[in-house]
Amino acid sequence: MAATTAFLTGVIEGFYGRPWSHESRLAYADYLARLGLSCYLYCPKSDPYLRKAWQEDWSPGAWADLTVLAQTYRQRGLDFGLGLSPFELYKSYGAAEKKHLQAKLSRLNELNAPLLAILFDDMPGDVEDLGARQAEIVADVQAWSSASKIIVCPTYYSFDPVLEKFFGQMPDRYWPQLGEQLPADVDVFWTGNAVCSERITRADIEGIVSALGRPVVLWDNYPVNDGAIRSRHLYLEPLSDRERLPTDLVAGHFCNPMNQACLSLPALTGLSDLYSESTKDGECSKGMLRAVVGEQVLGLLQQHGAEFANLGLDEMTEQRRRELTALYEHETGDAAAEVAGWLRGEYTFDPACLTD
């Protein structure tokens, strides 16, 4: 069950708030394939069975949906995976906790998914020898998991000081300790110099690669809009201001999309154009957008994109919001419906998201 590509590119559904529908997740198998991207990681913060209730099992219906997702991506030749956040497991990791973790991994193995992410993000980190404790957990995960590629998100996944503000002071030598003690073939997620980085350059990445002693996989928080501020905006421009870096620095690149699945596609064309040989001239990704979003709605998004990104809901007058809502309600398709829903305030901020 080896991953189909050595360099992983795709989507990580890793945001807070309103999750994507099962239908949207299925549709992304086609979208990613057409964009020349290779992976989908399922780890919405709203799924309790991946996070605070990780020791419990999904309902039969939810598990059936995950099974269908894994099968659909496998049939399209894409790599599917889940992101497990065993909440604060590193604070107490004895025989009972190991038994629970092994049972959870046994369940996940039934999906035959080639990717598995172990996510220690957005939880307290001021714990002595945090890196060593997390590396111990990951070593056990690797021994018990059938996934062919494991990626870890550290508690401190950026140089951004906001992480210490909310999750405590980072222990001394956290990154070197984690890098030294993780299994050699495990990758590490990194968001850049900030939680939501405006740009990512070679110089930005060289520092963390030196500290970890291994390349990173980019968890790119664009166009994600789940924070208190960002949820009031839509980001419709293609991903930009990223360098295509050598594999001794970057081993993969995932984008964390918006709560609006269809409206995230314009941003993902930038990821496609950065890495995919089949879409590097940009015409293939533009053609996919026209087919999925529709010419009329795509034209409206281009017309209003700057307004949605820069002004957002809070800077619009009530009259302007009503005008735009009526305009998009008149159009058909998922993209138009997502804009109209956002304008009506249906994508509310989840206060569990602390790092806007």
Side-chain angles (χ1 to χ4, degrees):
M1 190 178 44
T4 57
T5 54
F7 189 90
L8 307 176
T9 57
V11 163
I12 179 164
E13 186 188 343
F15 48 78
Y16 289 87
R18 180 172 168 175
W20 286 1
S21 67
H22 180 61
E23 292 72 24
S24 291
R25 292 170 182 142
L26 288 173
Y28 256 76
D30 179 60
Y31 301 157
L32 294 177
R34 293 168 71 177
L35 287 172
L37 303 174
S38 61
C39 306
Y40 186 99
L41 271 173
Y42 169 87
C43 44
K45 295 293 195 289
S46 59
D47 187 333
Y49 306 110
L50 288 175
R51 198 160 174 80
K52 289 192 175 181
W54 67 270
Q55 297 178 13
E56 302 176 26
D57 199 4
W58 289 270
S59 68
W63 182 254
D65 284 348
L66 288 175
T67 301
V68 170
L69 281 178
Q71 292 172 343
T72 299
Y73 280 81
R74 184 164 54 249
Q75 289 166 358
R76 290 303 305 266
L78 302 172
D79 293 326
F80 178 79
L82 290 88
L84 177 64
S85 298
F87 199 78
E88 298 184 0
L89 180 60
Y90 47 82
K91 288 188 174 182
S92 177
Y93 189 55
E97 290 80 11
K98 292 185 178 186
K99 183 177 180 180
H100 284 302
L101 182 59
Q102 187 172 15
K104 187 72 171 190
L105 292 167
S106 178
R107 182 62 157 152
L108 295 180
N109 287 344
E110 295 176 27
L111 294 173
N112 293 317
L115 302 180
L116 175 64
I118 301 299
L119 310 178
F120 297 116
D121 59 311
D122 298 357
M123 58 185 81
D126 51 349
V127 175
E128 186 178 358
D129 292 328
L130 179 65
R133 295 186 185 200
Q134 292 178 345
E136 179 188 359
I137 292 169
V138 173
D140 285 342
V141 166
Q142 188 177 59
W144 297 328
S145 173
S146 62
S148 57
K149 172 55 66 177
I150 294 174
I151 314 173
V152 173
C153 185
T155 303
Y156 301 93
Y157 49 82
S158 167
F159 293 129
D160 198 326
V162 73
L163 296 178
E164 289 190 301
K165 175 182 176 181
F166 286 111
F167 306 116
Q169 183 175 352
M170 182 174 66
D172 291 340
R173 297 196 73 254
Y174 172 64
W175 290 316
Q177 185 181 64
L178 187 66
E180 289 164 5
Q181 298 194 32
L182 279 175
D185 54 350
V186 168
D187 287 331
V188 178
F189 275 126
W190 188 251
T191 68
N193 288 344
V195 172
C196 296
S197 297
E198 293 186 5
R199 59 188 57 83
I200 299 175
T201 68
R202 183 185 186 106
D204 298 336
I205 299 303
E206 287 176 335
I208 187 58
V209 168
S210 176
L212 288 169
R214 66 182 70 206
V216 294
V217 172
L218 294 179
W219 175 316
D220 200 325
N221 277 322
Y222 183 84
V224 68
N225 65 342
D226 57 353
I229 297 171
R230 294 178 70 88
S231 63
R232 310 297 288 172
H233 300 261
L234 295 176
Y235 302 103
L236 304 174
E237 287 297 313
L239 180 74
S240 62
D241 292 320
R242 273 65 172 158
E243 297 180 24
R244 181 168 177 170
L245 300 175
T247 54
D248 61 337
L249 294 177
V250 172
H253 194 155
F254 290 80
C255 280
N256 191 13
M258 295 191 289
N259 294 86
Q260 299 82 11
C262 196
L263 292 178
S264 296
L265 288 171
L268 293 176
T269 63
L271 183 68
S272 171
D273 294 343
L274 184 61
Y275 293 107
S276 175
E277 293 300 320
S278 63
T279 65
K280 62 182 179 179
D281 61 0
E283 287 307 311
C284 180
S285 55
K286 290 176 184 176
M288 189 277 291
L289 273 185
R290 288 193 293 268
V292 174
V293 176
E295 289 277 6
Q296 177 68 19
V297 175
L298 190 59
L300 290 174
L301 295 178
Q302 291 167 346
Q303 179 181 342
H304 302 131
E307 186 175 3
F308 294 161
N310 300 326
L311 294 180
L313 295 176
D314 295 336
E315 297 298 322
M316 289 184 197
T317 66
E318 187 61 33
Q319 179 179 350
R320 180 59 173 163
R321 287 176 65 172
R322 287 198 299 267
E323 291 173 352
L324 288 169
T325 301
L327 179 63
Y328 282 92
E329 285 178 339
H330 183 71
E331 300 296 332
T332 60
D334 291 341
E338 288 173 354
V339 175
W342 173 75
L343 288 164
R344 291 191 298 263
E346 295 176 3
Y347 292 87
T348 56
F349 165 63
D350 181 350
C353 181
L354 300 174
T355 54
D356 202 337

